[in-house]
Amino acid sequence: MAGLSFDLIALQLFAGLALGAIYVLFAIGLSLIFGMLTVVNFAHGAFYMVGAYVGLYLISIGGNFWICLVAVPLLIGLFGLGVERVLIRPLYGRGIDYPLLLTFGLSYVMVECVRIFFGKTGYPFDTPEILQGAVNIGVGYFPLYRLFVIAATAVVLLALWLFLEKTSFGLIIRAGARDPQIVRVLGVDVSRVWLIVFGIGTAIAGLAGLLAAPLQGVIPEMGGTILAEAFVVTVVGGMGSIGGAILAGLLVGVVVGMTSLFAPEMAKVSIFALMAIVLIVRPQGFFGRAGLMS
Amino acid sequence: MTDATESIKQPDTTTASWYEFATKHRASIVAVVILVFPLVMPFTALAVNILIYGLYALGFNLVFGYLGLLSFGHAALLGTGAYVCGIAIVHFGWSWYAAIAAGLAGGLLMALVIGVLAIRTRGIYFAMVTMALSQCVYYLFYQAVDLTGGENGLRGINVRTIDLFGLRIDFINPMVRYYVIAAFVIAAFFVMSRILASPFGAVIEAVRENEMRARASGYDVTLTRLLTFVLSGGFCGLAGALQALHLSIVPIEILHYETSGLVVMIALLGGMGTFFGPMIGAAVFLVLENIVSVWTVHWQLIVGAIFIACVLFFPAGIWGTLIARGRR
Amino acid sequence: MTAAADQAGEIILRTRGVGKTFGKFVALNNISAEFARGAITSIIGPNGAGKSTYFNLLCGAFPPSNGSVEFEGKDVTGLPQHRFAHMGIAKSFQITSVFPQLTTRENIRVGLQALVSRYDIWRPRARLTELVERADALLALVGLWESRERAAKTLAHGEQRALEIGMALASQPRLLLLDEPTAGMSPEETRTMMDLIVKLAKERTVILVEHKMKLVLGISDRILVLHHGELLAEGTPQEVRQNEAVKRVYLGQREH
Amino acid sequence: ALAVSPFRINLLQAEEAPIKIGFPVPLTGPYGAEAQDQVRAGQLAVAQFNDAGGLNGRKAELVVRDDKLNPGEAATRTLELVEKEKVNFVVGSLSAAVQLAINNVTKERGVIFNSISQSDAINEAADFSKYTFHEALNPHMTSGAVGRYAFTKFGKKVAFLTADYAYGHEMVRGFLEVGKEFNIENLGDIRHPLGTTDFSTLLPRLQSLKPDILCISNFGRDQQIALKQATDFGIKKSIQIIAPLLSHASRVAAGPQAFEGVVGGCSFYWGIDDKFASTKAFNDAFRKMYDGKLPTDYGALGYGGVRTVLEAVKGAGSVETDKVVTALEALKYDYYKGPQYYRKCDHQSVQSVLVIKSKSKDMKNESDVFEVLSTEEPNEKNLRTCEALGHKS
Amino acid sequence: MLQISKLNAWYGASHALQDISLEVSRGEIVCLIGRNGAGKTTTLKSIMGLMGRTRGSVTFKGEELLRQPAHVRFALGLAYVPEERRIVQGLSVRENLRLGLVASKQKKREAELIEEIAVIFPRLAERMDQEAVTMSGGEQQMLAIARAMIAKPDLIMLDEPSEGIMPVLVDEMFELFRSMKAQGTTVLLVEQNVELALGIADRAYVLDQGSVVHQASAQALLADNEIKERYCSV
Ligand SMILES: Nc1ncnc2c1ncn2[C@@H]1O[C@H](COP(=O)(O)OP(=O)(O)OP(=O)(O)O)[C@@H](O)[C@H]1O
Ligand SMILES: Nc1ncnc2c1ncn2[C@@H]1O[C@H](COP(=O)(O)OP(=O)(O)OP(=O)(O)O)[C@@H](O)[C@H]1O
Ligand SMILES: [Mg+2]
Ligand SMILES: [Mg+2]
């Protein structure tokens, strides 16, 4: 194949990092719920998909993308609160299997409801006007909208980091995941904390869905594929570690970027190969603590 | 973690009469059920699928329910069994029973490879490594188009008649197919019950319960885990081989992680760590999916809702709940 | 009289300069000690002195960072833990560690089985009736006969401690390591346990970690005192009791 | 005289079981909409057959099953259809792997299967049997038609973006074969895994190859996303994108922006009703039955697949397999898009291919999404030869 | 201050506590003694709200507790040191201590309070950033006590605090309880080291098989030979 210029490799690297940022956004909500509540949220992809559809709906009734950017996470977060309260709460302390099964069922229900209300075919989702087009980033052209998504990811991460590190929330959540009873004895209403975390996690999933919509359009099945990728990022980074998720997301992006260059058909399996290697060498992921959830 | 309120295995003196009856005549009940099963199912091919998935879940349950490791890569074991069996017939012209044996061996071997790599990890990480490795297996089979047919799947596993003690019987006949496959499944169930009742069965449970203590008691935890995983691979490999014969094709989807996920669901639905749970889970899941999907295209809504209800109201799974009721 | 008692006085276990570091922290430093067969040796020392760490080295839970462990004349350093159990070394855990969902009897039975059958996947275990009989005998010994059918996790704390000892005994060790066996037991049960330990020591070697000084001083043949990961003192109960350094860092002024 | 007494008719029907056509299609899953259209059109063909009196009064019935786009499920469902429902024929499928699975089950049991989805493999000797018919186009034909059109118009430097599976490879092979005639320069074939949702790491590479034409050989959602993201990356500014197959449903789902200016092939477009009376008749019948809805490409295939079988039954005067096979082989038909017939050696339907371009302006109605650029007439020369497929003679 | 009357509790079907009645006044040290399995832990768990099924009445500062979840009971000024210590895995010593503070209404800064407690348990101060579960048995016990004390509860319940603690420190610890009492904290103590416990306690209850079988002042109990015979040390 034609020569590999420096510019191409640099652009490819950038594309990989950019993709990594999007992975981080997909994964972070999952990681939060996964690592902190020990709930393997199989419905994460469904929340993501519903986020995109809610955005679609809001725009169709006259909203615009910027309103959606606020409203979608809010609505999906509220929905998440309801789900936690009614469905997930009875399952805490029963191990990781039950929430997993329940959210699996829930994802079926959510996807099917969307099919009933919006139909089986997908819809196009236009990139907002001022974010259309590509800009020169020095080594080549790159779509403006993708740059915007990266910025949005950074904002979400910063907010999350502040929330977890600058409040006692992070501490409570980490302790609560391992021994909720003692945390209760120490005066914390763990259920409320869990409720909030679940809400935040799903809100981020919804936001990710909305942001992904202009990249790929919306379709009821859109949550399925990202779920596996999000799991990989979460696990490679070490569960419950935000920093780990960021590092892993970017790494996965770069790995995909580079395999796309040299063996594109392996792009997908490279993610899993990476995960297998990382976990075989370091069973708890980059920043995970050993022993969690065993 | 917390004060989980699982059913404690406590033998009790006051047992419901049906339960007593059922335990006493366990073997005959199973035989009767297997005999009449295809007659009460919507169609025979479904009954065969249930047997096969039940066997698959049985093998999975050994690792999940008894050893306490959640594997998300069992599709690789099932799929390897299916492909090895199919390839033996299509490309090497092996006889059907040799191909089944090859499939079983393929499952064992694949389990050994995955097991050796993954067994060091724990908990959710184990689930993820096994999933990742099984994805790699998927890719391997996907790319080996000449052998496996790649995305188009492996076709041509057409076994029209089979030799049985000199008898040539018509394998196309659905009932014959059912009973031949049922014979294998029953044999597998028998072997499983021996394993669980064996001393090693106790070791498996001990390792699940408390790894540190098991080690101090003199058990090699890693080896026990590995051996259990490999045994499980044998059951799943056999299931895969039977599946290949039954459907006469091996779709690449058999290696997809959804197939791994499916077996988790089946085991949980039926009752993890119970002997008949996997088979019952397979029956309920597949029948439900079948009936509802003929009735409405929105079958996923109903199936999903039933899942949710099961988790909330029958956390021990269908069979697990029945046992708990029966013991009372 | 058993063989063990015949050979009393012979060295069953020896550590040569063993140490253990966790990251930068030196938990145990250069301990050389010998343990005589058939004796009760106690290890005492302040909290965090390194007693449990030392125990873990002796039973193979993890390998020492340096030095070597020798059991019955064989170098066993770095062997996996289950091999230690096969050789006849058993330990009880300081923090209770049982098989929570299994019944009390099954807990013991599984412990016993490790010596007989580990990888037999075919013969029914019900055939190993002898194991159940021995399990019942052990249950009676540690006073859990009545609770034999209860799941271990439903036992009260003290009962679980007794089960812990029973499980250590199950592997028929020649060397028994007991890490605070009576912690959490009522005085009455402690007394029973003490009697039991003395009885056990007739047939095997016992190494004991305890903070209950009356018990320790009463039954030990020899006492090692650890402090900050080092061997502070060593001797008969009398000698140790008189030792000023031991009084200062461990016993305190009150008469124990 | 028979028809006068309703009583007699009921009696007759009770005596003679209906002609059953098994119809496994992926009602759930990403191609649910297409499958729905296949069912609708199939029902139309059955209704027309029944209204015309059936086979001497014996009515037909479509037994629809959801194959969930999964070959294993499809094989199970086909077993159900054959063993339990005792269907006389099977028509259906919407994926290469699924049709091969169904075919493997039906050919073993001597049941006629008319496939209505694309694949090259099904024509090949290994999978073919005398009970196998292929109503749909195959990738070789669409790629050929689109290639012949595009390589003269847009340039000779060609790059490929291909889904890494048999169907994708088959499309590329088709392009390369016609490419030989036009001396195209192959700049490279980048293969992406099936189900890729992000092409951002592949597009810069393609851009740097600076081709005149980019062939996107994939289907469904892969294609929608690839086109959408290629648009975002500004690829269309300098490069003409072509695709062997543009499906109606994909275009609707992805919107005009993503598909704007893309040239591709298809088997049917409702807009050719000014050219063929059969098209008009089909459109009208479909509209009438389904509240003014227009049929799509996959719908037309469902219609053609069912109707050919039923017409052959009529021609054979029986539902006996061998007779129907003979009747099908002899059939010359024009049901919805001009003349067609099944080639003898591989039972491939020889038919026209439309070369279309996606519209983004001047749309008359919501189904008005393509403009037909040219029509390649049915011609056996555009198929792979029987020898190449491994058939004797 | 704490009043329990006719308290019953169950583990599944087994009736672990039967009509327990006892009371603790402000500023007292009250001791619960009894053999293994007598129901001491269960009593404390019921007071703290960790038992599934309970009946009867438990009032604290006049408020009925039984219907309240555990965190509300903490807010009312109750603290509990469980016998299994319940040191949280994956957290450092400091984080475990912080956990004791997240719900407290203390005005002082977190760091200050941690420093205060570190003065009482110097060993913890040395190990602030060690992962807590890797500490020695005794160290973990200290941490569990420190974690409960740090929020300055009105009533602290300790389940076998001297378990695994070395003799010098046991003495110091009981000294500490005495001084806590002096500062107005009420103490409800479960202890197997009966002599020592009675040495600092005001009153004691003897439990057996889920019922209170005896109650008396500490002095009286210490003098009681039968009690001494049965419950006092070796
Ligand atoms: N994994 C580890 N990482 C860091 N420090 C450790 C680790 N394990 C043990 N330690 C430290 O090593 C020292 C010795 O611990 P050890 O458990 O042996 O004490 P011990 O003598 O048994 O004390 P106790 O009587 O309190 O049980 C302790 O200070 C402990 O904190
Ligand atoms: N989780 C449980 N499930 C069932 N029964 C239990 C459970 N925990 C304790 N019990 C039983 O309840 C009774 C009271 O137990 P409790 O733990 O209160 O005793 P205790 O007085 O604290 O004993 P110890 O001194 O041994 O700690 C005991 O008979 C015990 O076996
Ligand atoms: Mg210790
Ligand atoms: Mg207690």
Side-chain angles (χ1 to χ4, degrees), chain B residues 211-222:
Chain B
E211 183 185 334
M212 208 161 62
R213 171 45 91 178
R215 204 171 272 136
S217 291
Y219 295 109
D220 185 339
V221 169
T222 312

Side-chain angles (χ1 to χ4, degrees), chain C residues 10-16 35 37 58-59 68-77 79 83-90 172-177 205 207:
Chain C
E10 169 207 1
I11 301 301
I12 185 171
L13 180 78
R14 174 182 284 128
T15 62
R16 288 207 172 90
F35 299 86
R37 191 186 288 274
L58 297 185
C59 76
S68 68
V69 181
E70 209 174 84
F71 179 66
E72 294 183 334
K74 286 188 298 271
D75 186 4
V76 295
T77 322
L79 288 183
R83 294 289 305 281
F84 278 72
H86 301 169
M87 284 184 305
I89 303 180
Q172 296 184 304
R174 291 193 292 283
L175 174 63
L176 183 61
L177 305 165
T205 315
I207 304 179

Side-chain angles (χ1 to χ4, degrees), chain E residues 113-161:
Chain E
L113 287 160
I114 291 181
E115 239 161 68
E116 276 176 24
I117 210 82
V119 174
I120 305 176
F121 297 102
R123 171 59 58 84
L124 298 181
E126 293 165 25
R127 300 295 165 79
M128 272 306 172
D129 297 305
Q130 183 174 335
E131 178 165 352
V133 285
T134 65
M135 295 211 302
S136 84
E139 291 164 349
Q140 290 188 31
Q141 184 68 299
M142 296 174 210
L143 176 58
I145 296 169
R147 189 178 59 187
M149 278 174 55
I150 197 166
K152 311 223 161 95
D154 299 327
L155 187 151
I156 185 165
M157 296 183 282
L158 301 130
D159 200 348
E160 308 197 14

Side-chain angles (χ1 to χ4, degrees), chain C residues 150 153-159 184, chain E residues 11 14 16 35-42 83 160 192:
Chain C
R150 286 172 61 187
K153 68 168 183 187
T154 67
L155 299 179
H157 186 59
E159 296 166 314
Chain E
Y11 288 104
S14 83
R35 316 153 47 126
N36 289 131
K40 307 179 294 294
T41 300
T42 311
E83 63 188 338
E160 308 197 14
Q192 296 290 7

Side-chain angles (χ1 to χ4, degrees), chain C residues 90-117:
Chain C
K91 91 163 217 185
S92 76
F93 288 77
Q94 178 176 5
I95 295 176
T96 312
S97 181
V98 295
F99 302 119
Q101 308 252 28
L102 306 186
T103 62
T104 310
R105 179 196 262 153
E106 184 67 5
N107 264 278
I108 303 269
R109 206 200 63 79
V110 166
L112 285 164
Q113 189 195 301
L115 298 180
V116 184
S117 173

Side-chain angles (χ1 to χ4, degrees), chain B residues 33-49:
Chain B
V33 167
I34 296 238
L35 275 177
V36 302
F37 190 56
L39 308 175
V40 297
M41 282 294 106
F43 56 99
T44 322
L46 179 67
V48 179
N49 270 356

